[in-house]
Amino acid sequence: MNAKNILQLLSILLLSPLIPAFAGDWTPPRYYYEAPQSLDAFKTSQALAKKGDALAQYSLCLAYRFGKYVQENTESTLFWCKKAADQGLAQAQNYLGYMYLNGNMVKKDYAQALHWFQIANAQNYKDAQYYLGQMYDYALGVNPDHDKAIYLYQLSAAQNDHYAKKALDEIRQRYRNFEKNLPWARQGDRDAQWHNSAACFGLAYRYRELVIREECSEAIDWLTSAAEQGDSFSQRYLAEFYLQGKHVEQNYQKALYLFQRAAEQGNSDAQRFIGTLYEKGLGVDKNQNEAERWYQLASERGDYYRYSDQAPYLYEAFKESQALAKKGDALAQYTLCLAYRFGKHVRKNAESALLWCKKAADQELPQAQNFLGYMYLKGYMVKQDYAQALHWFQLASAQHYRDAQYYLGHMYDYGWGVNPDHDKAIHLYQLSVAQNYAFAKNALYDIRRRYRHFEKNLPLARQGDKMVQWHHSSACLHIYRNKIIHKECSEAINWLTSAAEQGHWLSQLHLAQFYLQGKHVEQNYQKALYFFQRAVVQEPGDSRSLDAQYLIGTLYEKGLGTDKNLGEAIRWYQLAAKRGHPEASRALKRIHQGPLRKWFSKTFLGH
């Protein structure tokens, strides 16, 4: 494999997972709509701001923050917000606190955040009260104070702030649950130990169930006890702690052991971690075959929730299915198909799974027809084949089998082996929903929301709104999970380019990747380098920027899109390596130990 092919592969591996869920359904950042929403409004704000109008200065601050009718600019954002804040405008004081709290365009600074929130709070500004509550709730730059957090949430909720209302409910429930579980955790109850340790460590991040209490000094003991008692979530997170050396001393062997215990209970995260350990040779000898086996197990995890319960659970049931299947019983043949598919009381076997499923499907059993379609759709135990998937789903759908209607809807929704058909997908989802199929309900809601949002914001994309252009292009080009197949997607690469040129860093990052790979655009290493460099300047600490820094180093080292420059390559590798990028660290080690090691040591290490 030549250097260009290696670089393309690296870019796919490193930059493909830039995937927040539901990206096609874009939600604007908070305060986005307080920026000027038309060019006339922007010009009016400009004129009034220069005359000292505080509200106009705040509006101009947000225009520079979000790039509304002007290039994004940190200095101008801060300049105009501080002018408004110094005049006592609570909105501007709150927004400065918000920027420092979250590290938006500025370095995160809890002291500055606290300062501005307190000033805005003195004016009874509800947003600032909510954020101050968050700081005391989660100990962000202050000593945690449960009572003060509740008091501040109450002040904000009294002004009908829905964020504060939700936070108030959450904090009360969180501490109530912790105190209720505390005696049980100390007595060794594994569920109580898991929930309380998860709260102390903030593991239940989706629900923000972080608790800060002195009793949390016992949390690692609770987590260990729950893991030893077989709780798969405790095993999975304790294993990750051992892997990272977080809260415990780093120990790859213990990490592997605990991941394996969790994986035996079907934990797909643990299965993926085991694959990584085998791939990297951490705590075990490197074994690519074992790594791939565990990755495959993790990728198949969804099957178990939908169909493995239809396989024979008891050995006696398996034997009975065997006997009946040989006599031609279609349902028994399907059951036997699943036994071979999932390895229930028999070794997994693709040929036997297909044999028995086809026997049952030929007798027009819709469950079997659907499962054959599912196997061909996903490429499970067979080569992926959309034509075969379509054939079997259509047969099962003709018998009103709800699973098949749902999967057919997916095929028309995403254009898998068929011409995309938005209306047909909705119709099929509706048929499945009428039979109360939960997956179809979610899909129907999602497709309606996705296309409604796309069409609603299409004029903004065409007018040059970079945020809308980014989200529309990412949906059309299938960067994110919520894909769109729409005739206007022919404009997607132009939207992405426009957003990148306006300074949107994720657009720059993905456009650089496309130029690197020659995907959607003609391959151009110079443009790839240009957009990578523009992106990393804006978000140097983001993990995705670290990948880009590594690739910039590779471009300089290989002389792709630029003259070969080992010094520049090392500089970029060092930037990424300092923030923990493993490939960059290995590249530096390779150069240091290579033929140029004396030059490297003298130039970069000073000896």
Side-chain angles (χ1 to χ4, degrees):
M1 188 180 287
N2 62 33
K4 291 184 179 181
N5 290 337
I6 290 171
L7 192 60
Q8 289 175 31
L9 178 60
L10 284 171
S11 73
I12 294 169
L13 292 174
L14 290 170
L15 290 176
S16 290
L18 309 179
I19 307 176
F22 308 115
D25 180 35
W26 173 58
T27 302
R30 197 170 189 193
Y31 305 110
Y32 181 79
Y33 288 121
E34 293 182 26
Q37 295 300 305
S38 70
L39 183 59
D40 287 342
F42 170 74
K43 289 181 177 178
T44 301
S45 294
Q46 264 190 323
L48 291 174
K50 291 174 182 176
K51 294 177 182 179
D53 185 284
L55 195 57
Q57 290 169 342
Y58 172 60
S59 178
L60 202 56
C61 154
L62 295 181
Y64 280 107
R65 167 65 186 90
F66 297 115
K68 297 290 287 184
Y69 310 102
V70 68
Q71 184 82 21
E72 275 184 28
N73 187 295
T74 301
E75 289 182 5
S76 297
T77 299
L78 286 171
F79 174 78
W80 288 111
C81 258
K82 282 183 178 175
K83 273 193 169 292
D86 288 342
Q87 292 195 67
L89 189 72
Q91 298 98 305
Q93 294 164 344
N94 170 74
Y95 194 72
L96 282 171
Y98 180 77
M99 289 177 70
Y100 284 113
L101 179 67
N102 293 293
N104 289 340
M105 294 189 99
V106 294
K107 186 177 179 181
K108 191 178 286 190
D109 188 330
Y110 290 140
Q112 280 289 317
L114 184 68
H115 167 73
W116 289 111
F117 285 143
Q118 284 174 330
I119 294 175
N121 175 47
Q123 299 189 62
N124 201 32
Y125 194 67
K126 66 178 183 178
D127 292 28
Q129 292 164 339
Y130 164 70
Y131 287 120
L132 268 180
Q134 291 266 289
M135 295 188 77
Y136 284 105
D137 191 356
Y138 295 103
L140 304 174
V142 294
N143 292 325
D145 191 324
H146 172 225
D147 295 328
K148 187 174 263 189
I150 286 180
Y151 171 71
L152 287 159
Y153 288 151
Q154 286 173 326
L155 290 176
S156 184
Q159 298 184 69
N160 207 32
D161 187 275
H162 72 276
Y163 291 103
K165 288 179 179 179
K166 185 177 179 182
L168 193 56
D169 289 339
E170 285 177 351
I171 190 173
R172 286 170 169 165
Q173 188 62 45
R174 203 183 328 140
Y175 280 85
R176 211 162 35 232
N177 289 343
F178 185 87
E179 287 161 5
K180 178 183 173 183
N181 284 327
L182 188 57
W184 293 101
R186 286 172 167 169
Q187 290 172 34
D189 182 276
R190 106 175 174 180
D191 288 339
Q193 289 177 328
W194 155 245
H195 286 292
N196 273 19
S197 60
C200 287
F201 291 128
L203 302 180
Y205 62 92
R206 291 182 183 176
Y207 310 101
R208 293 184 65 86
E209 291 181 356
L210 178 65
V211 162
I212 299 172
R213 287 280 295 265
E214 61 182 9
E215 291 88 349
C216 283
S217 60
E218 305 171 46
I220 198 66
D221 295 330
W222 295 335
L223 191 66
T224 303
S225 174
E228 289 171 351
Q229 292 179 70
D231 182 80
S232 65
F233 286 106
S234 300
Q235 292 166 340
R236 174 250 188 272
Y237 281 104
L238 185 58
E240 191 172 356
F241 288 166
Y242 277 114
L243 182 64
Q244 298 174 349
K246 186 178 179 181
H247 306 300
V248 293
E249 187 175 342
Q250 191 174 55
N251 189 314
Y252 294 131
Q253 288 83 2
K254 284 187 178 180
L256 179 62
Y257 171 78
L258 286 161
F259 280 137
Q260 286 172 330
R261 300 291 77 75
E264 288 168 0
Q265 300 185 62
N267 189 293
S268 58
D269 286 339
Q271 291 167 342
R272 276 188 286 274
F273 274 116
I274 294 170
T276 302
L277 289 168
Y278 274 107
E279 184 180 15
K280 305 290 186 184
L282 301 175
V284 67
D285 292 338
K286 273 190 180 182
N287 190 323
Q288 191 61 35
N289 291 333
E290 271 296 285
E292 289 174 2
R293 185 175 77 83
W294 283 105
Y295 288 143
Q296 180 66 21
L297 281 173
S299 69
E300 292 179 4
R301 179 61 188 143
D303 293 352
Y304 285 84
Y305 289 113
R306 300 189 195 181
Y307 299 110
S308 73
D309 59 341
Q310 297 176 22
Y313 181 70
L314 300 173
Y315 181 67
E316 291 77 7
F318 169 73
K319 295 298 287 183
E320 184 180 359
S321 294
Q322 266 190 323
L324 291 172
K326 290 174 182 177
K327 294 177 181 178
D329 184 285
L331 192 56
Q333 290 169 341
Y334 171 61
T335 302
L336 203 56
C337 157
L338 295 181
Y340 280 108
R341 167 66 186 92
F342 295 110
K344 302 289 282 187
H345 311 293
V346 67
R347 184 179 290 275
K348 284 186 184 181
N349 187 298
E351 288 183 6
S352 297
L354 280 172
L355 170 72
W356 290 111
C357 259
K358 282 184 176 175
K359 278 183 176 290
D362 289 340
Q363 293 194 65
E364 299 184 354
L365 188 75
Q367 299 97 305
Q369 293 168 336
N370 170 73
F371 194 71
L372 281 172
Y374 185 72
M375 290 175 73
Y376 282 112
L377 179 68
K378 301 290 185 180
Y380 289 153
M381 295 189 112
V382 294
K383 185 178 179 181
Q384 190 174 52
D385 188 328
Y386 288 141
Q388 281 289 317
L390 184 68
H391 168 72
W392 291 110
F393 285 144
Q394 285 174 329
L395 289 176
S397 179
Q399 298 190 63
H400 309 290
Y401 194 68
R402 66 180 191 175
D403 295 38
Q405 292 165 338
Y406 162 72
Y407 287 121
L408 268 181
H410 249 37
M411 294 187 76
Y412 284 105
D413 191 356
Y414 293 105
W416 292 338
V418 294
N419 291 325
D421 191 324
H422 173 228
D423 295 327
K424 187 174 263 189
I426 286 180
H427 173 67
L428 286 159
Y429 289 150
Q430 287 173 326
L431 292 175
S432 186
V433 167
Q435 298 184 68
N436 204 34
Y437 194 52
F439 290 101
K441 287 181 181 179
N442 292 336
L444 185 60
Y445 173 77
D446 177 64
I447 190 174
R448 285 171 168 165
R449 178 183 58 181
R450 202 177 342 134
Y451 280 83
R452 190 164 56 238
H453 171 82
F454 185 87
E455 287 161 3
K456 175 185 174 184
N457 287 297
L458 189 58
L460 288 175
R462 287 172 168 164
Q463 288 169 26
D465 187 301
K466 70 178 180 183
M467 295 295 288
V468 176
Q469 287 180 326
W470 156 242
H471 286 280
H472 274 42
S473 61
S474 66
C476 285
L477 299 172
H478 302 177
I479 294 171
Y480 283 170
R481 194 174 78 189
N482 270 18
K483 300 174 182 177
I484 288 287
I485 297 172
H486 203 289
K487 61 182 180 180
E488 283 81 0
C489 282
S490 60
E491 304 173 45
I493 200 67
N494 294 331
W495 295 334
L496 188 67
T497 303
S498 173
E501 288 171 346
Q502 291 181 71
H504 187 269
W505 82 280
L506 281 175
S507 299
Q508 292 167 341
L509 207 56
H510 280 285
L511 188 59
Q513 183 185 4
F514 290 158
Y515 277 118
L516 191 62
Q517 298 171 354
K519 184 178 179 182
H520 305 302
V521 292
E522 187 176 346
Q523 191 173 53
N524 188 315
Y525 293 123
Q526 290 92 340
K527 287 186 177 180
L529 180 62
Y530 171 75
F531 282 111
F532 274 140
Q533 288 176 323
R534 287 190 66 184
V536 298
V537 166
Q538 294 191 62
E539 296 288 345
D542 190 282
S543 60
R544 294 163 290 190
S545 286
L546 300 186
D547 292 337
Q549 288 171 341
Y550 167 68
L551 287 170
I552 292 170
T554 306
L555 287 165
Y556 275 112
E557 185 181 2
K558 303 293 183 184
L560 298 174
T562 183
D563 293 335
K564 275 190 179 183
N565 189 327
L566 193 57
E568 270 297 283
I570 290 169
R571 186 173 75 84
W572 285 102
Y573 287 150
Q574 285 177 327
L575 284 172
K578 284 177 183 176
R579 298 295 298 273
H581 196 278
E583 283 83 2
S585 298
R586 282 193 283 272
L588 288 171
K589 184 177 180 181
R590 169 175 50 76
I591 295 171
H592 180 222
Q593 294 177 347
L596 298 174
R597 58 185 178 276
K598 290 184 179 178
W599 170 83
F600 178 91
S601 295
K602 183 177 179 181
T603 305
F604 292 94
L605 302 181
H607 55 77

